[in-house]
Amino acid sequence: MKVWLGLDVGSTTTKAVCLDESGRMVAHGVRPTGISGETTAKDLSKELLASLGVVAPIRIVATGYGRARIEEADKAVTEITCHGRGVSFLHPEARTVIDIGGQDSKAIRLAAGGQVEDFAMNDRCAAGTGAFLDVIARRLGMTLDELSAALGDACAEVGPLPVSSTCVVFAESEVVGLLAQGHAPARIAAGIHQAIARRTVTLIRQVKGEPPYYFSGGVARNQAMRAALANELGEPVVCAEHPQLCGALGAALVARALDGLA
Ligand code: ADP
């Protein structure tokens, strides 16, 4: 069996996707990046290849925050290209990709053929990213699943509680204050989702994003975030298939393209 490997070494998680000769996804995995992205990527690749009975892939393409450190890679490619490519492979109709990961968020406008036409990125500040949600969930004593599930009921009548701080550190203190005043954790969580959605919509407007909107990255797994974004945009936001793997899939597609394969 011939395999092309895409690695997405993110700040929070490392993802790997293996495509076979026909372009089918034959193996994939996600694990926490931990202290060494290189070691994690190596271990995850070894595990996936072993599960397929393959000794070495034909080519490796790396993307993500830690892509430059993957020595085995034939090429390193930006996450913008890879998320655009991965999402448009799965959803050729996508025109705008919203990618929110652990430490950054992006809006990517695609041309009709799936090429990146424009993008905007926030990688300076944790507000508007998964890390923000992780910190607040911990502070509210909820898991990410509980955080996203709690919102629907709590906010049906009273709406989100606005959180005004734009910085994670200040927002965390604000949340502590709101809890002390007796506000319901779910309403506070809804306010946080609304704040992140508003920041993301600013990025989308910067690139003149148009529907259909597709959501990739780990945070796309959060249904409350999908709903908050749709609410702010006034348009449906579709969760990409395998949202957390789209970058690694895009990298694997670039790996195939190096050998002239679509
Ligand atoms: P990166 O590529 O930057 O390492 P990911 O795209 O893997 O990041 O996204 C990581 C983020 O995804 C986490 O910070 C977390 O907020 C979010 N996430 C991961 N799994 C889930 C889940 N099951 N439900 C909600 N959010 C999730």
Side-chain angles (χ1 to χ4, degrees):
M1 183 188 218
K2 286 184 177 169
V3 159
W4 285 261
L5 174 65
L7 288 171
D8 178 359
V9 187
S11 59
T12 308
T13 66
T14 293
K15 286 76 63 177
V17 163
C18 295
L19 297 175
D20 72 1
E21 262 180 306
S22 64
R24 216 163 41 97
M25 199 192 290
V26 284
H28 58 81
V30 178
R31 24 177 101 151
T33 296
I35 52 165
S36 165
E38 297 143 271
T39 309
T40 306
K42 216 174 259 177
D43 291 349
L44 180 57
S45 309
K46 220 185 262 173
E47 188 183 301
L48 294 188
L49 294 170
S51 75
L52 297 169
V54 170
V55 178
I58 303 292
R59 294 216 189 251
I60 304 174
V61 167
T63 188
Y65 177 80
R67 63 183 179 272
R69 299 180 65 93
I70 305 300
E71 284 171 7
E72 298 78 8
D74 296 281
K75 194 173 179 182
V77 180
T78 70
E79 295 135 271
I80 313 285
T81 300
C82 290
H83 274 270
R85 193 123 180 193
V87 172
S88 68
F89 176 79
L90 296 168
H91 309 282
E93 69 284 8
R95 283 294 157 273
T96 305
V97 178
I98 305 160
D99 164 37
I100 310 185
Q103 307 253 314
D104 63 18
S105 53
K106 308 174 195 80
I108 306 165
R109 193 181 79 229
L110 299 176
Q115 296 90 345
V116 175
E117 265 186 351
D118 198 5
F119 73 92
M121 180 164 174
N122 157 39
D123 60 355
R124 293 283 155 100
C125 157
T129 68
F132 194 179
L133 289 165
D134 301 346
V135 165
I136 300 300
R138 223 172 297 132
R139 185 49 85 173
L140 293 174
M142 296 178 180
T143 63
L144 284 171
D145 284 336
E146 286 165 350
L147 186 76
S148 94
L151 306 190
D153 309 344
C155 296
E157 286 173 17
V158 282
L161 192 67
V163 176
S164 56
S165 306
T166 48
C167 163
V168 177
V169 178
F170 291 127
E172 193 177 2
S173 317
E174 192 177 341
V175 166
V176 172
L178 292 170
L179 285 170
Q181 290 164 31
H183 291 292
R187 275 194 77 205
I188 302 172
I192 296 286
H193 282 73
Q194 187 183 57
I196 296 176
R198 286 184 176 165
R199 283 189 151 240
T200 310
V201 169
T202 308
L203 294 179
I204 297 169
R205 301 281 180 241
Q206 270 175 37
V207 301
K208 299 189 173 55
E210 285 177 10
Y213 297 101
Y214 278 80
F215 196 178
S216 68
V219 177
R221 297 174 65 190
N222 174 336
Q223 57 167 36
M225 202 58 236
R226 301 201 292 266
L229 271 171
N231 191 40
E232 292 299 320
L233 280 168
E235 291 281 347
V237 171
V238 184
C239 179
E241 210 185 317
H242 311 294
Q244 204 166 11
L245 295 173
C246 287
L249 170 62
L253 288 165
V254 173
R256 279 172 57 80
L258 294 177
D259 291 313
L261 298 167

